[in-house]
Amino acid sequence: MEQRMSVATHWGSFTAVIDSGRLVRIEPRSDDPAPSPIGPGMVRAADDGARVLRPAVRKGWLNGLPRAHDTARGADAFVEVSWDDAITLVSDELRRVRAQHGDSAVFGGSYGWASAGAFHNAQGQLHRFLALGGGYTNSRNTYSTAALEVILPHVIGGHPWSYQSRMPMWDEIAENCELVVAFGGLALKNSQINPGGLARHQTQNLQRQCHAAGVRFVNISPIRSDVAGFLDAEWLPIVPNTDTAAMLGIAHTMLVNGWHDEDFLRRCCVGFDRFASYLVGEIDGVPKNAAWAAEITGISREVLTDLARRLATQRSLIMVNYAVQRADHGEQPIWMSVVLAAMAGSMGRPGCGWGAGYATMDATGVAPGRPSVATIPKVPNPVADYIPVARIADTLLHPGKTIDYDGQRLTLPELRLIYWCGGNPFHHHQDLHRLTRAWQTPDTVVVHEAWWNTTAKFADIVLPVATSLERDDFAAGFSDPHLVAMPKAREPEGGSRTDHQIFAALASRLGYEQDFTQSRSELEWVRHLYEQTRAELGDEAALPGFDDFWHRSTAELPALTGPFPGSFAALRADPRGCPLPTPSGRIEIFSEEIDSFGYDDCTGHPTWFEPQEWLHADLSERFPLHLISNQPASRLHSQYDNGGHSLSSKIHGREPVTLNPADAASRGIENGTIVRVYNDRGSCLAGAVLSHDVMPGVVQLSTGAWWDPVQPGLGGTLDRHGNPNVLTADRPCSRLSQGPSALSALVDVESYGDPLPEVLAFTPPNLEH
């Protein structure tokens, strides 16, 4: 007999249909206007051959063998062991490493999305466990937005994510705005997701309302489809990594024509005079005019001039996407977009001004926030050491090295044990061959995983975990005003356990189980967190009791109406009475603090720095195509790459790569051709898709295909499956943020004429019993 269960995921809420304990299908909710196809594709992966069914230990590690030629991790066989033996091995190794090398030798950054749920948050569970055990080295910032997270507190002040409640929402844009200029596009595919879970998708309908209201959109991106077709956007193809130059050319045009908002710049900003000196060339002898910008960006002087006029004379909004800051000097386009908005005259006006990350998830621009929801309690970390998130390979390869970070000097710690739970470093890190070399250096790598993905194959101890379909929880998405019940839809596959069960067992061996579990079962924790939320919100929220909520499946939180700290409208109205949380209380066009750091790659005001890899670099003679490794449409990062929807997008089992027909024709490549994408860092196979949506000189290969090296651990080996991070550079975008620069990469593409190697990305390693 079929049962129907509520399911909440990062890509939406669904109904799971269960028959005799097996997952039959996943259906969209009837009230979701734009359900994601990722959800139904979860059925294919629920119990496929890639599931990790029992604890497994790398054979060489179990036998105490040295790693031979830096290739053992990732290439070795595994031995399946009992849970009791696995818990003993992990707890003993944690004791040994802490005793011999100190608590900072344990790395628990475990960066990643994990899966939806307020209680079963993998990173929260891991950090609580490790902090109670003595502490751990943590990571700071995210791969998605590291440069943005560091630069914005200097420029507009506040928490790195506070801008989400300070920028216009879509309904305000529809009502008040005339012109939206989107640097880096506005890709609707990204709005499928929301951290923590999602009740129903709203971004598409809200964008349609903007179009119906007459808002005009300009897409400044190398990819036309970065804006939904129904918006009828004007497409301005731009040389990748040159958004800052385009903004400077527009700003110069405003300045010399007197189109800039002198009143707002004088009352609400600091340092415009110093920036203006740079803009007109008084500092370096180079006026950053529209003609100068046209040579760099490929957008004509006439178009840039006209865009400057339109921004200054219409009610306008400047949007900047996250992609533009995952590049060399990624802080600059974020900083410069704020400055351009301040100059344009619409900053702080209803539905206008500036915003970042629109459509990056179904939360940004949908609602300014939601009330706080209780999650698993955090425990202070006794270890002060941390690393910038994208510097994990540097830390492993060069312990003791000192680096700059946001005005500080950090010494990279020596990491002897990596504990990874949630996320997939062999997806989101750059230059995977370099990461492979670095990954061989610690004594032990422990991984919690549901499937034999690349991170599991590169571990020493793999502990099988239940998926979000196999545990009780409730979802609370970022800015989403709904709570969604997540009752267990099925029993964990094989011998899988939840992360919480694993950490409780380890805490018991290590002597602090009571502190970790607080004597609650998992369902008792879920009930406790919900009732805590209900009590803290009080009568105004009118949330039902837990049992009623569990039966109804959803509950609605009260809307947040503000006023929100750091409001640009309040700043415009009263800069003295409503200052920003910056040193000056105003927008910092020139930052004395950043200038005092003395960085040659991030000075005191927005600046054009030539990227190390771009289409005007000398390297482009050898590798004449710029690689855009953006987010996939068929999955969230690498999650459910083995799901039905992601698999359906493959070409002969490989990830699709999109080329302009002109670039394909000159290389003899046709639709469906298997090609090799390559540079000096590595190469991968992919299936060619030809489209005029990608400008000439650019190729687009999404992230998230599980890395599938022909010879794991061997530098430069071919990836059979199409992971672009074998091609990207592990290079910080600047000394300020140390963020990733994945979108500054040059490649070439050629037809692959050799026999196609079998894709083994979803095949478990050799397992012994």
Side-chain angles (χ1 to χ4, degrees), residues 152 156 163 167-168 317-318 320 337-338 341 347 352-356 568:
L152 280 183
I156 62 173
Y163 71 90
M167 62 193 216
L317 172 63
I318 292 173
V320 60
S337 67
V338 175
M347 196 74 157
C352 302
W354 173 89
F568 300 124

Side-chain angles (χ1 to χ4, degrees), residues 83 87 448 463-465 497-506:
W83 268 110
I87 295 299
H448 292 197
L463 304 179
V465 290
R497 297 181 179 181
T498 67
D499 295 310
H500 183 78
Q501 288 173 326
I502 296 170
F503 289 132
L506 288 168

